Amino acid sequence: MVRIIAFDPAVTVMGVAVLSIEDGGCHVLHTQDVVGKKLLHDKEMIKIFADVPGFCVVEAYKVLVWQLLKAWKPDEVVAERAFVHKFPAALISLTLVLNAIRVSSWVVSQRDIRIISPTQTKMIITGHGDADKDMMKLGILGNTRITYDPSIDPQTLSEHCIDAIGHGYTQYLLRHIPEATMRVYLDSRPVVPPKVKKAKKKKVTKGK
C-alpha cells in the first residue's frame, strides 16, 4: 500500500488530497480546499507569525503543509508542475507555492516532492491532454477504481480537489504500474468525450 498526499497548488485556492493506493485501487482518505487569504486571518497562523515581519500566504502554506505531512505521514508527496498559461505572473506564484511544499517535505521526511505535469494527469485520467474541468470531474468520479471515505461526498468536490486526486493517482500509475499492464488501468477509465472546440468567429472588415 502506498499513501500519497497530492497538491493542486495555487496562491488563491490550493486543492489537497490524501490517497491510499493498493493494487491500483485508489481510496481517497481526505480532501481539502485551502484558501490562501483565509490563512492570513487564521488565529493559529497569526499566533505563529506574530513576530515575523512580512507574513504572507506562502509562509502560511509551509506551516499548513508541515501539519498535513505530520498528520497523514505519506510515502510520497505529489504536486502539479508550475506552468505559464495566460498570465506569466502565475508561474512565479506557483513556483513559490511549490517551493513551500518542497521545503516542508524536506523538513518532515527528508524527501523531495514528485512533480506531475497537468497534461500528463489529463491524459491518464480522461484520455485527452486538453481536458477541461468538467472532463476531469467526469474522469475522476466515473472511475470505479477510485473510492472515497464515508466522510467525503465526491459529488461536492471542488475542481481543485478533483485535480489533486488526479495528480496523485496519475503519479502512482506512472511510477508503480509496469508499462505492460498499464493498458488494464487505462481501459477501465470512464469514456470522456473530447472537448468541443468552439468555431472561431470570422472578423468582418467594414468598408470605409
Side-chain angles (χ1 to χ4, degrees):
M1 183 181 71
V2 178
R3 177 170 290 187
I4 294 174
I5 185 166
F7 297 91
D8 182 47
V11 170
T12 50
V13 183
M14 178 170 70
V16 182
V18 181
L19 315 176
S20 178
I21 307 177
E22 187 172 12
D23 297 329
C26 174
H27 188 65
V28 184
L29 301 172
H30 172 75
T31 59
Q32 180 178 347
D33 283 316
V34 181
V35 181
K37 286 185 177 180
K38 287 186 177 181
L39 283 182
L40 296 178
H41 303 286
D42 182 82
K43 291 182 179 180
E44 183 180 1
M45 292 296 176
I46 292 174
K47 184 177 180 180
I48 292 172
F49 292 99
D51 300 320
V52 179
F55 165 50
C56 65
V57 171
V58 173
E59 294 302 317
Y61 272 172
K62 289 179 183 177
V63 174
L64 178 76
V65 173
W66 181 88
Q67 293 171 338
L68 287 168
L69 297 181
K70 279 286 189 180
W72 290 103
K73 298 177 175 58
D75 301 300
E76 297 179 13
V77 181
V78 178
E80 181 186 53
R81 176 175 60 81
F83 61 95
V84 179
H85 187 42
K86 294 180 181 179
F87 308 102
L91 174 64
I92 299 173
S93 64
L94 283 174
T95 301
L96 290 172
V97 174
L98 281 174
N99 183 63
I101 297 171
R102 177 172 277 118
V103 168
S104 294
S105 182
W106 272 108
V107 170
V108 174
S109 58
Q110 292 75 53
R111 66 165 65 97
D112 200 1
I113 62 177
R114 301 193 181 281
I115 301 296
I116 191 83
S117 77
T119 302
Q120 282 179 304
T121 296
K122 292 174 181 179
M123 183 60 72
I124 291 294
I125 298 300
T126 71
H128 307 284
D130 63 345
D132 58 23
K133 299 298 182 182
D134 290 334
M135 294 166 68
M136 279 294 296
K137 185 174 183 179
L138 180 58
I140 291 293
L141 299 187
N143 194 320
T144 57
R145 292 183 182 272
I146 301 176
T147 58
Y148 302 85
D149 185 83
S151 64
I152 299 172
D153 179 1
Q155 297 298 328
T156 63
L157 289 174
S158 71
E159 63 184 55
H160 313 289
C161 289
I162 289 286
D163 286 349
I165 294 170
H167 297 323
Y169 191 44
T170 296
Q171 178 63 40
Y172 171 85
L173 292 178
L174 294 177
R175 179 172 170 76
H176 296 279
I177 300 300
E179 186 176 349
T181 57
M182 178 66 83
R183 177 50 56 186
V184 175
Y185 295 90
L186 298 183
D187 288 344
S188 67
R189 295 177 303 191
V191 177
V192 178
K195 184 191 297 185
V196 178
K197 295 184 178 180
K198 296 180 180 179
K200 293 183 179 180
K201 294 182 179 179
K202 294 183 179 180
K203 293 183 179 180
V204 178
T205 304
K206 294 182 179 180
K208 293 182 180 181

